Amino acid sequence: MESAQPLSTRAAAEAYVGGVCFKLGPPELIGAELEWLTEWSGGDRSGCRVDAESLAVALGPYAPRSLSPTSPARPLPGGSYVTIEPGGQIEISSLPSPSADILCDRLRTDSDTLRSLLRSHSIRTVSAAADSRRSPQRVLRLPRYQAMEDFFAVTGPFGKLMMCNTAAVQVSVDAGADPDQVRARWTALYAVGPALLAAFACSPRLHGVSADRWASQRMRAWLSLDGARTGVPAVANGADPVAGYARWVLDLPLLCVRRD
């Protein structure tokens, strides 16, 4: 998230964050990101983590520039773009769609194309929220991820585990047409969030940590890696979520500074 002009006051920064993260308009669109663990299939390397160079070759013109700086980074046939997470997880990010049915059709087309590309290079996707077999290892050596790994390491192992050994499905919807609707939708999200988490919890094992009584090790990793950053933003009941979220963002500890 970059501003064209320097932000010289906290008020200006809060206004910028609120404007970028909560764009007002009729809630008409829906999008999603699908993420998979990846591994070699067959041969002596079966089940092993796939290196970045091999993923770039398999993806060809669809490879993101984080893997191949000269790649055209084309969208898949249904419009989704491919990205790679630090541990070699592969993700497709859909176009915004006017309905869930259209979104699912597009994602089905793109996930089939993606699997075919990878399968032709002996790479398979694994539909799992947490990797219980392999130790966390980064295959992307970008400075951003090195900074994240160093920052999260202070609080324990869950930062690197989240970065390298977990995957998720993420759904994006419009914030709302006006401040009142944004507040109502934000409140509804808070209310249904725990039930949705329980309904989709399917990762009781994660490499290197005790199982305890967690049904979602993916969520455990997320909540444990940095409580200030990954906890629920503190917005009082009835308060403006846009202003509250912007204040919360600026109060977080600095993770890294981007340099040329």
Side-chain angles (χ1 to χ4, degrees):
M1 185 169 63
E2 296 181 4
S3 173
Q5 299 295 327
L7 301 171
S8 57
T9 67
R10 180 181 175 108
E14 288 185 6
Y16 177 74
V17 170
V20 169
C21 296
F22 293 86
K23 295 185 183 299
L24 299 183
E28 298 174 342
L29 300 175
I30 182 172
E33 298 176 354
L34 308 183
E35 188 178 357
W36 297 269
L37 305 173
T38 59
E39 63 183 27
W40 289 110
S41 63
D44 295 339
R45 297 181 296 179
S46 182
C48 293
R49 200 176 296 271
V50 184
D51 59 276
E53 293 76 13
S54 296
L55 287 169
V57 171
L59 292 171
Y62 306 106
R65 294 193 177 96
S66 60
L67 280 182
S68 178
T70 60
S71 171
R74 295 176 187 164
L76 294 165
S80 302
Y81 285 89
V82 180
T83 52
I84 301 294
E85 294 298 315
Q89 307 97 311
I90 198 161
E91 181 179 61
I92 57 174
S93 301
S94 76
L95 290 175
S97 298
S99 74
D101 286 343
I102 293 174
L103 172 66
C104 289
D105 286 343
R106 290 172 172 174
L107 287 172
R108 191 175 296 110
T109 295
D110 287 345
S111 60
D112 288 346
T113 301
L114 178 67
R115 286 194 199 86
S116 178
L117 287 168
L118 297 175
R119 190 164 50 243
S120 66
H121 288 78
S122 299
I123 300 169
R124 64 175 161 236
T125 58
V126 179
S127 297
D131 187 340
S132 63
R133 297 183 296 105
R134 303 178 298 188
S135 60
Q137 178 184 356
R138 273 193 308 117
V139 302
L140 282 185
R141 301 298 175 188
L142 302 179
R144 169 192 174 189
Y145 294 128
Q146 183 63 60
M148 289 175 62
E149 183 178 328
D150 293 343
F151 184 92
F152 293 142
V154 174
T155 58
F158 286 101
K160 192 170 184 178
L161 283 166
M162 182 279 295
M163 293 170 64
C164 301
N165 277 43
T166 69
V169 174
Q170 300 161 31
V171 178
S172 299
V173 295
D174 289 321
D178 54 51
D180 287 339
Q181 189 174 57
V182 171
R183 185 180 294 109
R185 289 163 70 85
W186 180 276
T187 302
L189 179 63
Y190 267 53
V192 303
L196 288 174
L197 174 59
F200 291 96
C202 60
S203 54
R205 298 286 185 272
L206 179 62
H207 184 277
V209 298
S210 61
D212 292 333
R213 299 178 64 185
W214 286 84
S216 175
Q217 292 286 355
R218 154 77 187 187
M219 196 64 193
R220 179 193 189 184
W222 186 255
L223 293 175
S224 302
L225 64 92
D226 179 8
R229 189 176 312 277
T230 59
V232 178
V235 178
N237 289 337
D240 176 11
V242 179
Y245 183 83
R247 286 195 300 271
W248 173 76
V249 167
L250 293 184
D251 285 340
L252 291 176
L254 184 66
L255 193 153
C256 62
V257 176
R258 182 174 179 176
R259 303 184 186 279
D260 292 336

